[in-house]
C-alpha cells in the first residue's frame, strides 16, 4: 500500500513538472543551459521551457545585457537549427553579434512594429507556432490577463517565450514562470592582454514559481555559461524578494 502511494505521488510530481515546462527525455536526462546553481533554483533543478519567462530591463545598458544573456539561452534552444522570432518596436540588437553565442543570424526572424497592441498580437500568434524554438518580445506594458493569454498559447505549442519589460511604471504581476533581472558586469582580462574580456552578467531571479529566488554571477566563455561567484546570501535573497514586490 505504501509503495503504491509513493508511486502515485511520484507520478503526480512528474506530471506537475511536465505542466510547468520541465522536460525530461526518454533516457531520464534533462535539458540544461549550463547555468549550474541558477538552474538549481528552479523546481527539479531545471529551467522550464515551453513556458514564458519575464525579464526586467529598465536601463538601456540593462537591455543590452539582457539581450546577451537571452542569446546564451537561445543557443541551447536553437542548437538543432531552430528558428526564433524577435518582436520589438525599438530593436537595438545587432544581428551579427549573435554569432558569439553560436546563433546563425538568419535563423532569427525580426518583427518590428510600432504599437504595443501589435507587439502583443504578434507575440501571441508566434507563440502558437510549434515549429519555433523560442519567441523574444520587447514591450513596455503587459497586464496579468495578457500574460495569461501568452502562457495559454505556449501550453499548447511548447514554445519558450522571453518577455523583456522596460517600463518600471507599468510593472504588474504576471503569470510568467519566472521573473529575471540581468545587469552587466565588468569583464576581466587574463594577464596583461589588451582588449575586452568575455561577457559577464549579474543574474537575479526575483520570482520563481515553486523555486528559490537568488543572485549569481556568470560569464560566457568557450561557447557556454560559466559560474564566477557563489550564490547570494539569504539576506541578499530577501532583498531581491522585496524588490520584486
Amino acid at each position: 500500500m505504501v509503495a503504491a502511494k509513493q508511486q502515485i505521488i511520484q507520478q503526480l510530481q512528474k506530471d506537475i513538472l511536465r505542466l510547468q515546462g520541465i522536460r525530461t527525455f526518454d533516457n531520464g536526462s534533462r535539458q540544461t543551459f549550463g547555468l549550474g546553481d541558477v538552474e538549481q533554483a528552479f523546481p527539479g533543478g531545471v529551467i522550464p521551457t515551453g513556458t514564458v519567462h519575464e525579464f526586467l530591463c529598465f536601463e538601456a545598458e540593462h537591455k543590452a545585457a539582457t539581450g546577451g544573456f537571452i542569446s546564451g539561452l537561445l543557443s541551447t534552444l536553437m542548437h538543432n537549427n531552430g528558428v526564433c522570432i524577435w518582436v520589438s518596436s525599438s530593436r537595438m540588437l545587432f544581428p551579427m553579434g549573435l554569432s558569439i553565442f553560436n546563433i546563425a543570424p538568419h535563423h532569427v526572424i525580426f518583427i518590428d512594429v510600432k504599437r504595443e497592441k501589435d507587439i502583443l498580437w504578434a507575440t501571441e500568434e508566434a507563440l502558437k507556432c510549434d515549429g519555433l524554438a523560442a519567441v523574444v518580445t520587447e514591450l513596455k506594458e503587459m497586464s496579468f490577463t495578457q500574460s495569461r493569454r501568452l502562457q495559454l498559447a505556449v501550453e499548447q505549442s511548447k514554445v519558450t517565450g522571453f518577455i523583456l519589460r522596460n517600463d518600471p511604471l507599468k510593472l504588474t504581476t504576471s503569470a510568467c514562470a519566472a521573473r529575471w533581472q540581468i545587469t552587466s558586469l565588468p569583464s576581466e582580462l587574463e594577464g596583461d592582454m589588451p582588449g575586452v574580456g568575455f561577457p559577464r552578467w549579474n543574474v537575479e531571479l526575483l520570482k520563481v514559481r515553486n523555486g528559490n529566488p537568488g543572485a549569481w554571477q556568470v560569464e560566457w566563455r568557450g561557447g557556454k555559461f560559466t559560474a564566477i561567484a557563489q550564490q547570494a546570501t539569504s539576506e541578499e535573497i530577501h532583498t531581491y524578494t522585496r524588490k520584486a514586490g
Side-chain angles (χ1 to χ4, degrees):
M1 180 64 74
V2 174
K5 287 184 177 178
Q6 289 178 341
Q7 186 175 6
I8 293 173
I9 292 173
Q10 290 175 353
Q11 186 59 48
L12 287 172
Q13 289 175 332
K14 290 181 180 179
D15 291 342
I16 291 172
L17 292 176
R18 178 176 53 80
L19 291 172
Q20 290 178 339
I22 298 173
R23 296 182 180 179
T24 58
F25 299 94
D26 294 339
N27 60 3
S29 62
R30 297 182 175 184
Q31 184 175 54
T32 176
F33 291 88
L35 281 167
D37 289 344
V38 180
E39 298 188 49
Q40 294 303 316
F42 289 86
V46 179
I47 295 178
T49 56
T51 188
V52 179
H53 294 256
E54 179 184 34
F55 289 79
L56 308 184
C57 42
F58 303 138
E59 305 291 340
E61 58 269 30
H62 296 171
K63 183 178 178 181
T66 304
F69 180 79
I70 288 177
S71 297
L73 300 177
L74 291 177
S75 69
T76 296
L77 295 173
M78 299 172 63
H79 75 283
N80 194 22
N81 294 321
V83 174
C84 167
I85 285 183
W86 196 300
V87 189
S88 174
S89 63
S90 58
R91 176 170 54 89
M92 298 176 62
L93 183 73
F94 180 54
M96 298 307 294
L98 294 172
S99 58
I100 298 175
F101 301 96
N102 304 320
I103 298 173
H106 64 279
H107 282 202
V108 180
I109 301 171
F110 294 102
I111 299 177
D112 297 333
V113 293
K114 296 299 182 184
R115 300 185 300 178
E116 285 282 301
K117 68 176 185 180
D118 292 335
I119 294 176
L120 282 167
W121 180 85
T123 301
E124 184 175 348
E125 293 303 309
L127 288 173
K128 294 177 181 177
C129 299
D130 56 10
L132 296 173
V135 175
V136 183
T137 296
E138 304 174 28
L139 52 79
K140 295 180 179 178
E141 186 176 5
M142 180 177 65
S143 68
F144 179 84
T145 301
Q146 290 166 334
S147 70
R148 182 60 182 154
R149 286 177 62 91
L150 301 183
Q151 184 61 35
L152 289 174
V154 299
E155 288 177 4
Q156 296 295 323
S157 65
K158 306 304 179 185
V159 175
T160 304
F162 300 111
I163 307 297
L164 283 70
R165 301 181 66 175
N166 50 31
D167 191 339
L169 300 179
K170 297 180 179 178
L171 184 60
T172 57
T173 302
S174 74
C176 299
R179 174 174 286 179
W180 305 66
Q181 188 163 37
I182 311 297
T183 52
S184 60
L185 292 174
S187 61
E188 290 190 1
L189 300 174
E190 296 182 358
D192 296 325
M193 294 291 289
V196 179
F198 297 104
R200 289 186 165 194
W201 305 278
N202 187 59
V203 178
E204 298 180 49
L205 271 174
L206 304 178
K207 286 184 178 179
V208 187
R209 188 187 302 165
N210 299 321
N212 301 301
W216 301 263
Q217 295 182 343
V218 299
E219 180 180 70
W220 184 262
R221 177 192 289 257
K224 63 180 181 181
F225 290 113
T226 302
I228 57 175
Q230 297 296 318
Q231 186 176 354
T233 64
S234 58
E235 182 178 351
E236 290 172 326
I237 292 174
H238 181 63
T239 301
Y240 301 133
T241 305
R242 285 187 300 173
K243 285 170 61 179

